[in-house]
Amino acid sequence: MPTRRRDNQTAPLWIEAGEDKSTPLISVAPAAPIDKIYTYTATLELLEQLRIGQRVSVPFGRKGTPSPAYVVAIEQGTWNSTLKPITEILDPAGNLSNHLLELGKWIARYYCCPLGRTLSAMIPQVVRKQSGFVTQRFISLAATADTIADHRLGAKQQTILQELMKEQAHLQAADLLKRAAASRATLKSLLKRGLIVETISKALPKDLECPYPRNEPDFQLNVSQKEALAHITDVLCSQEFRVILLYGRSGSGKTEVYVRAIRRVLAAGKQAIMLVPEIALTTQLMQRLAERFDHVAVIHSGLTGVQRSLAWERIRNRDIHVVIGTRSAVFAPCPDLGLIVVDEEQEPSYKNLRSPRFHVRDVAIKRAHLLNIPIILGSATPSLETWHNAHHHRAYTCVTLPSRVKSLPMPSVRLIDMRNEPSAALGATISRQLAEALRETLAKKQQAVILLNRRGFASWLFCPRCKMRIQCHRCNACMVLHLAQNRIRCHQCNLSEPIPIHCPDHSCRGKLVHGGGGTEKIEQQLHTCFPDARVLRADSDTMTHARKYRHLVNAFENRELDILIGTQMIAKGLDFPNVSLVGVIGAEPPAALSDFRANERLFQLVTQVAGRAGRADATGLVIVQSMNVDSPALRHAVHHDFDSFAAVELPRRQAMHFPPFTRLTRFILAGPREGDVMEQARCLADRLKQHIAETAQPDCVVLGPHPCVMERAKNMYRYELLLRAASASAMLSVLDSARHDGALRVNVKSFVLDVDPLSLS
Ligand code: ADP
Ligand code: ZN
């Protein structure tokens, strides 16, 4: 029998020899990336303040190094002498409701991420620190009249004690000092003698104003909006988990339906979360939405820590009824959540790019499922996952808004076959038709937007003598010429160098040529062709700050600009009534199979920009230039026909065993020595195969390992492998089993495990 060691620290005092050894045990998840749960005890005093979700400090490892961890369970269990006590509570706030903890556990399991790391991603650090809260100090009496009589006290000290005795309760320190006309020093001396105690708590500051003035548009819902709303209301009344896909092209009035559905939820005394994608214009869109509600909070990446922390607390205490926000708002601590809305559910920015690599839409669906509430997914071009589910999954319903409000026609889309264009071989260029359309647009004093998803002036530099391309010496990527910066740049690692004139090979020294091209080249062509037009380029080289972007939007709205040229950052969310022409340059479907979603993205891009033209009274024209005009993505985008595109694309995905017909997990390993990386990848593949066999999941396969499309980046060699499963549950059982065995641990410099990857490039 082990000898029982007992002291105040390790064992609760109320256990007597021979009694039940039951004691509260606290499970914690380390904040460090360690995929395990550990058990601790706590002193009575600490136990009273402990909450699930809090960050605490625990002695860790053999040396008992103080380490941060998150409380994930407090349960009665059997005491034993190896248990150590929690040292202290690091942040008193950050407690999680049961269902958010459940959600955290699901994320940690599904996306293969340690629970501690997941919880730290769910609750912003500023919320844990209660930034912006007002500190309140309360004083209460700790001694009886008898003990007080034993002390020799000054007059001020006595007054303080008398005031406290009179109140029979605690008093705010400042209040008390005023009443007794005493100073903080007097209070301190009483504290030191143990006659009084001070408790410090944090509270919201008073008089928080709502910065969004109410602004109601004045119109009636049209027939299809009414039908959609009636359907949603039925689901809301049934109080059960359902996913409603609200499917309607841009301008069909989806936003209006969300707003009214949310109002129904508020009327029932519940809260709602509306998620919007993170795009350059997010803040403005959200403010416009916020003006439709009282008691609304807007959560986006531009908030200060204090704003975020205060919003979180007001949501928790039901002061806020509607939360509008980007990614992190999916974790808003609403105690009475009745509805979640995910706008533009297909947007790639909903995928978190750091571990845990969760998809906000899927987390939102899971949250709705745990709470048994409905969720609305809105889109003009749904992701094929959602589209497939909407037609095959019991929990899904598809509600359609068939036409644009005000019966505005969709702009006509014209495809230009660039194989017939003489200058096309030289790279990005404006076709004759696009130039002609631009001329007409400028003559009519209307505006144009041109889109090209590539930055820079030339995409490659080439030595014709030795047939060599100039590559980044750290990555296998071509250096891109940026004339405006007078540099060449690697778009992988951002390395920049002066522009070389001659081949770097000293035995060659051929004169370099360049080709391909991006936004800078088009900008230059526009200046040459239309010297009087006011042209502005918007890409991440010029739009280095959100302020610049807002400035650009204002200038364009005020018609201080004629042509806007940019990357896809300008494709989303813009709503300019005077734009009558949109040009898309280089709309190419993927050359390789590396990215199974490329067709879908191309379709979305063209449809999205087409939605930009002719939003108001000017009827729009969209010109799409491509070397591959026969691709189904383009053919159907021309007719704004998502249904037909999905009907072609889904069987293709099925034939190639890609999602939504399968599930994928992607593993990327990288390190400075290729042999080591390859070896580790091979071993990981073997271990995965072993677990597929052990879990008897015959429909799972391991593909690879093979070098990534970008084989080398930042001086590291990159290898990937894929786990493909017939269903989410099959994939989970293999991953669970491998993870439990430690089989997912690899010894490389960088390791990424991506469940449901958005792309494979
Ligand atoms: P979506 O979200 O589908 O792109 P919106 O809800 O933004 O569409 O609607 C597009 C435009 O039409 C907005 O300016 C909106 O105020 C307006 N609108 C929406 N519904 C109606 C309606 N029933 N009658 C008149 N205008 C409407
Ligand atoms: Zn590089």
Side-chain angles (χ1 to χ4, degrees):
M1 272 253 308
T3 49
R4 195 201 281 186
R5 233 169 4 97
R6 290 260 230 108
D7 58 52
N8 297 357
Q9 289 299 309
T10 53
L13 288 173
W14 64 88
I15 303 181
E16 291 303 325
E19 259 185 67
D20 181 14
K21 290 198 293 180
S22 165
T23 185
L25 297 181
I26 295 99
S27 308
V28 304
I34 300 171
D35 198 8
K36 267 194 183 155
I37 303 292
Y38 296 85
T39 309
Y40 287 82
T41 58
T43 60
L44 263 184
E45 193 190 354
L46 210 62
L47 197 60
E48 272 178 15
Q49 301 163 38
L50 269 184
R51 303 282 176 270
I52 305 279
Q54 264 171 346
R55 199 167 66 107
V56 294
S57 177
V58 296
F60 196 71
R62 242 181 309 155
K63 289 193 186 144
T65 323
S67 316
Y70 299 95
V71 177
V72 295
I74 305 173
E75 284 162 350
Q76 209 65 20
T78 309
W79 180 83
N80 75 57
S81 61
T82 60
L83 289 170
K84 291 181 196 161
I86 287 176
T87 321
E88 60 172 327
I89 296 176
L90 293 175
D91 311 309
N95 40 317
L96 278 173
S97 62
N98 276 338
H99 91 263
L100 278 174
L101 179 68
E102 278 311 301
L103 188 66
K105 287 182 178 168
W106 177 83
I107 293 172
R109 179 175 174 224
Y110 187 82
Y111 293 100
C112 273
C113 178
L115 183 56
R117 194 179 185 133
T118 308
L119 297 185
S120 107
M122 287 172 72
I123 308 172
Q125 190 56 24
V126 289
V127 169
R128 299 186 172 279
K129 295 270 178 233
Q130 298 187 309
S131 304
F133 280 49
V134 191
T135 307
Q136 290 180 322
R137 295 163 185 277
F138 289 99
I139 307 291
S140 52
L141 214 50
T144 58
D146 290 350
T147 30
I148 290 172
D150 294 345
H151 289 261
R152 291 216 347 241
L153 298 168
K156 289 273 160 87
Q157 291 176 323
Q158 290 192 1
T159 327
I160 288 182
L161 295 176
Q162 278 157 11
E163 285 295 331
L164 284 169
M165 281 189 238
K166 225 169 30 189
E167 281 303 317
Q168 296 272 322
H170 64 205
L171 281 173
Q172 274 218 29
D175 217 23
L176 181 62
L177 291 179
K178 210 180 324 163
R179 286 199 202 184
S183 70
R184 180 88 198 149
T186 321
L187 210 58
K188 276 203 178 137
S189 72
L190 287 171
L191 276 169
K192 212 157 157 195
R193 293 187 191 202
L195 297 176
I196 58 174
V197 286
E198 184 176 49
T199 37
I200 298 175
S201 71
K202 298 236 181 177
L204 280 179
K206 292 210 182 74
D207 306 328
L208 287 170
E209 86 289 8
C210 178
Y212 309 104
R214 277 300 284 272
N215 184 3
E216 275 299 300
D218 149 41
F219 54 70
Q220 301 270 307
L221 290 189
N222 64 27
V223 177
S224 27
Q225 283 173 317
K226 275 189 189 141
E227 278 172 15
L229 185 62
H231 187 91
I232 292 169
T233 311
D234 282 349
V235 176
L236 287 173
C237 292
S238 73
Q239 298 194 326
E240 60 177 28
F241 167 65
R242 282 207 75 76
V243 187
I244 302 158
L245 169 62
L246 184 60
Y247 167 52
R249 46 188 54 170
S250 85
S252 60
K254 296 185 292 296
T255 311
E256 207 46 47
V257 176
Y258 307 144
V259 168
R260 314 259 169 147
I262 290 173
R263 291 218 181 119
R264 305 256 151 127
V265 172
L266 303 185
K270 301 224 173 142
Q271 295 167 300
I273 297 178
M274 170 153 178
L275 298 165
V276 296
E278 179 92 53
I279 52 171
L281 276 175
T282 295
T283 343
Q284 279 176 321
L285 291 176
M286 287 198 289
Q287 306 228 336
R288 221 174 285 158
L289 263 173
E291 293 171 2
R292 308 293 304 280
F293 301 102
D294 300 319
H295 308 287
V296 56
V298 170
I299 312 275
H300 56 84
S301 54
L303 289 190
T304 66
V306 167
Q307 287 170 326
R308 187 175 292 265
S309 147
L310 297 181
W312 225 247
E313 183 58 23
R314 296 177 69 202
I315 295 166
R316 194 197 305 282
N317 68 22
R318 301 176 170 81
D319 199 12
I320 293 289
H321 303 161
V322 185
V323 182
I324 302 172
T326 50
R327 274 207 295 265
S328 65
V330 73
F331 301 123
C334 306
D336 296 317
L337 194 59
L339 175 69
I340 307 178
V341 177
V342 185
D343 190 27
E344 306 282 357
E345 63 85 30
Q346 82 289 352
E347 268 296 312
S349 74
Y350 279 130
K351 175 91 174 179
N352 203 29
L353 294 181
R354 283 197 319 205
S355 169
R357 293 170 184 269
F358 58 86
H359 197 296
V360 170
R361 174 199 60 221
D362 297 336
V363 169
I365 293 175
K366 187 67 198 176
R367 186 167 181 186
H369 185 211
L370 288 171
L371 286 172
N372 229 2
I373 59 169
I375 173 167
I376 304 176
L377 309 180
S379 182
T381 54
S383 65
L384 290 177
E385 277 83 353
T386 298
W387 188 247
H388 183 70
N389 283 336
H391 294 94
H392 293 94
H393 199 294
R394 267 188 308 123
Y396 280 68
T397 331
C398 181
V399 178
T400 309
L401 294 178
S403 55
R404 290 184 133 185
V405 282
K406 304 177 204 153
S407 338
L408 282 177
M410 290 302 280
S412 64
V413 181
R414 206 180 297 159
L415 273 181
I416 305 296
D417 190 345
M418 292 303 280
R419 286 170 303 189
N420 303 332
E421 195 68 21
S423 58
L426 301 172
T429 185
I430 295 175
S431 64
R432 287 165 297 178
Q433 289 95 324
L434 180 55
E436 188 50 40
L438 277 167
R439 199 164 293 121
E440 283 170 21
T441 306
L442 292 172
K444 282 190 279 184
K445 300 255 177 292
Q446 288 175 335
Q447 294 172 301
V449 171
I450 293 182
L451 204 98
L452 167 56
N453 225 353
R454 233 177 9 234
R455 291 177 290 133
F457 185 82
S459 350
W460 44 262
L461 288 126
F462 181 72
C463 172
R465 196 180 291 171
C466 70
K467 314 272 182 255
M468 198 177 66
R469 284 190 177 201
I470 306 296
Q471 287 193 326
C472 171
H473 64 81
R474 306 197 293 178
C475 314
N476 273 13
C478 283
M479 295 298 275
V480 177
L481 179 62
H482 287 255
L483 265 194
Q485 300 163 355
N486 210 8
R487 310 281 286 177
I488 54 172
R489 262 183 194 290
C490 168
H491 284 189
Q492 284 300 314
C493 70
N494 221 9
L495 178 81
S496 100
E497 284 171 358
I499 301 173
I501 307 293
H502 296 285
C503 177
D505 183 344
H506 286 278
S507 58
C508 168
R509 301 301 282 167
K511 197 162 182 324
L512 297 176
V513 295
H514 54 73
T519 43
E520 261 189 50
K521 179 175 260 168
I522 300 294
E523 184 189 17
Q524 200 190 54
Q525 279 181 27
L526 288 171
H527 282 307
T528 321
C529 298
F530 309 104
D532 297 331
R534 297 162 299 176
V535 177
L536 193 94
R537 173 165 58 94
D539 53 27
S540 57
D541 293 330
T542 61
M543 295 294 124
T544 46
H545 195 278
R547 219 179 23 244
K548 288 194 178 175
Y549 197 74
R550 275 196 299 276
H551 186 76
L552 163 139
V553 171
N554 288 337
F556 203 63
E557 265 174 6
N558 298 335
R559 301 196 183 189
E560 290 158 24
L561 294 170
D562 301 311
I563 306 176
L564 185 60
I565 151 104
T567 51
Q568 73 176 12
M569 71 156 48
I570 61 169
K572 292 168 189 165
L574 291 180
D575 189 357
F576 300 126
N578 200 39
V579 170
S580 57
L581 173 65
V582 176
V584 183
I585 296 178
E588 306 304 338
L593 290 179
S594 65
D595 191 357
F596 65 96
R597 269 179 237 270
N599 281 324
E600 187 178 347
R601 294 270 173 261
L602 181 61
F603 180 88
Q604 285 164 358
L605 176 78
V606 173
T607 327
Q608 221 159 37
V609 290
R612 300 277 78 85
R615 286 276 291 196
D617 304 328
T619 43
L621 172 64
V622 178
I623 290 185
V624 179
Q625 300 185 175
S626 173
M627 293 290 229
N628 192 344
V629 289
D630 299 325
S631 112
L634 290 178
R635 268 201 346 257
H636 295 301
V638 166
H639 300 111
H640 314 278
D641 186 354
F642 175 78
D643 295 56
S644 302
F645 168 68
V648 182
E649 182 67 6
L650 279 170
R652 199 187 69 91
R653 293 267 185 96
Q654 186 163 29
M656 300 195 335
H657 305 289
F658 274 130
F661 300 94
T662 58
R663 295 279 175 138
L664 299 176
T665 300
R666 185 183 189 208
F667 305 84
I668 306 172
L669 299 83
R673 291 176 34 180
E674 185 168 16
D676 294 351
V677 178
M678 220 158 63
E679 183 55 27
Q680 287 288 324
R682 216 175 281 145
C683 293
L684 175 60
D686 288 343
R687 292 195 299 268
L688 284 171
K689 284 176 194 161
Q690 200 179 324
H691 283 276
I692 292 175
E694 274 171 24
T695 49
Q697 295 292 346
D699 288 337
C700 291
V701 286
V702 175
L703 306 172
H706 44 246
C708 296
V709 174
M710 181 55 59
E711 292 165 49
R712 200 166 67 101
K714 298 182 192 175
N715 277 335
M716 300 222 275
Y717 291 90
R718 304 172 75 233
Y719 275 76
E720 70 176 331
L721 54 112
L722 282 176
L723 171 67
R724 191 177 71 200
S727 67
S729 59
M731 190 165 76
L732 258 181
S733 67
V734 175
L735 287 177
D736 272 350
S737 156
R739 188 177 180 186
H740 188 255
D741 248 15
L744 298 180
R745 282 202 286 268
V746 284
N747 187 12
V748 287
K749 190 91 186 281
S750 138
F751 178 57
V752 169
L753 192 166
D754 193 359
V755 176
D756 297 338
L758 277 193
S759 96
L760 302 181
S761 53

